[in-house]
């Protein structure tokens, strides 16, 4: 098949489905190489995630609005109409698939029921943006990237940092990790033991231990990917993929040695 353009893509937990977000939300049967659905449930979709069983798909727009659809048909099951929350980090399903977790650029961390409008947990971090939300394979360990905003009179923005939390969240379960430099794209490994991140503004990958936040591997600096960088772990935690300028680069996670690359014009 001819794959659609997708500036954000996600697999289902079992790897059987792939969603590509462009103007439309396109869900693909990976093995059959066929489209399951093409829908336009909202304007400007920015990220999406499958429920643990693959039965539903949450789609978040650049306005922060979240809708729940059936991935195999594109039918809208519920519209949260929460665009007042504003744009932010990824939307993710809870371990049981009954709740959604997302962060906003307004500093809000929200846990809401997936299929109704009730809020189960919310914390606000004034003066900060929650730019990224990731979790381990079991969705029991979570990592949030916090980025302080510029304040009047400041000559530079304070450094971004990571916060580790365990499911279910409570007000006192946070553990802050700083790295001694500004960071982006902090991503928890599937086994929950390591964090991969990009150092800014040098543009260099690092792998750090969750246990103490110590950096254990670093890559050579690389060229920025244009509209942004993205990184992802392999499910066995042995490899890390990185979007860079005009190519995808694959690293060995243990020491960040380059294993291969694929040239891509865009």
């Amino acid at each position: 098949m001819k794959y659609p353009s997708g500036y954000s893509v996600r697999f289902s937990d079992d790897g059987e489905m792939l969603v590509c977000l462009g103007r439309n939300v396109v869900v693909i049967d990976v093995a059959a190489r066929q489209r399951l659905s093409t829908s336009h449930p909202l304007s400007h979709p920015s990220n999406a995630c499958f429920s643990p069983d693959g039965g539903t798909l949450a789609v978040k727009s650049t306005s922060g609005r979240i809708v729940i659809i059936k991935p195999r048909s594109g039918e809208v099951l519920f519209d949260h109409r929460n665009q007042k929350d504003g744009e932010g980090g990824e939307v993710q399903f809870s371990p049981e698939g009954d709740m959604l977790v997302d962060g906003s650029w307004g500093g809000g961390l929200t846990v809401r029921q997936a299929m109704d409008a009730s809020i189960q947990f919310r914390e606000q971090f004034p003066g900060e943006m929650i730019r990224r939300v990731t979790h381990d394979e079991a969705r029991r360990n979570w990592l949030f990237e916090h980025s302080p905003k510029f304040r009047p009179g400041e000559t530079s923005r304070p450094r971004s940092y990571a916060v580790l939390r365990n499911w279910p969240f409570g007000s006192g379960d946070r553990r802050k990790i700083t790295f001694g430099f500004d960071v982006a794209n902090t991503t928890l490994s599937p086994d929950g033991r390591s964090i991969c991140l990009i150092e800014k503004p040098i543009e260099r990958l690092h792998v750090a231990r969750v246990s103490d936040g110590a950096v254990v591997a670093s890559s050579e600096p690389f060229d920025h990917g244009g509209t942004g960088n993205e990184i992802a772990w392999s499910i066995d935690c042995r490899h890390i993929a990185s979007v860079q300028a005009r190519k995808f680069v694959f690293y060995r996670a243990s020491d960040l040695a380059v294993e291969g690359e694929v040239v891509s014009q865009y």
Side-chain angles (χ1 to χ4, degrees), residues 69-265:
I69 69 172
K70 284 186 176 181
R72 295 184 178 275
S73 68
E75 175 190 354
V76 175
L77 299 174
F78 188 76
D79 186 346
H80 284 271
R81 301 186 182 278
N82 63 311
Q83 51 266 37
K84 68 180 186 300
D85 293 333
E87 190 169 4
E90 293 86 347
V91 60
Q92 307 281 10
F93 274 95
S94 67
E96 295 77 20
D98 59 335
M99 287 183 273
L100 298 172
V101 179
D102 77 305
S104 78
W105 289 357
L109 166 61
T110 304
V111 179
R112 69 185 90 233
Q113 288 293 135
M115 298 301 293
D116 65 52
S118 60
I119 303 298
Q120 301 301 305
F121 177 85
R122 175 168 277 172
E123 277 193 335
Q124 195 70 30
F125 298 88
E128 296 189 349
M129 305 165 66
I130 298 181
R131 296 192 304 190
R132 195 165 178 89
V133 181
T134 63
H135 55 73
D136 63 4
E137 186 178 10
R139 304 173 195 252
R140 292 292 174 184
N141 299 299
W142 292 69
L143 186 72
F144 299 87
E145 182 181 293
H146 290 241
S147 180
K149 300 177 182 179
F150 277 106
R151 293 179 174 88
E154 291 181 336
T155 57
S156 62
R157 179 178 57 81
R159 291 168 176 166
S160 301
Y161 62 93
V163 171
L164 286 159
R165 311 186 77 135
N166 298 320
W167 183 265
F169 304 149
S171 59
D173 71 338
R174 304 190 298 268
R175 180 161 72 89
K176 180 178 178 179
I177 299 180
T178 58
F179 300 97
F181 47 79
D182 202 21
V183 300
N185 299 85
T186 52
T187 305
L188 191 62
S189 62
D191 62 9
R193 298 178 180 177
S194 302
I195 301 167
C196 186
L197 54 104
I198 299 175
E199 178 182 354
K200 296 287 187 176
I202 295 176
E203 308 292 340
R204 179 168 57 187
L205 285 179
H206 297 282
V207 172
R209 287 192 300 256
V210 163
S211 58
D212 59 5
V215 172
V216 296
S218 302
S219 76
E220 293 295 321
F222 57 81
D223 291 334
H224 189 269
T227 55
N229 299 113
E230 185 55 85
I231 51 180
W233 289 86
S234 63
I235 194 65
D236 60 8
C237 303
R238 296 173 57 193
H239 313 281
I240 294 169
S242 169
V243 178
Q244 300 177 13
R246 297 174 295 282
K247 59 185 177 181
F248 301 95
V249 182
F250 300 90
Y251 294 88
R252 187 168 56 212
S254 60
D255 58 4
L256 289 180
V258 174
E259 296 185 300
E261 61 181 52
V262 176
V263 174
S264 177
Q265 181 181 357

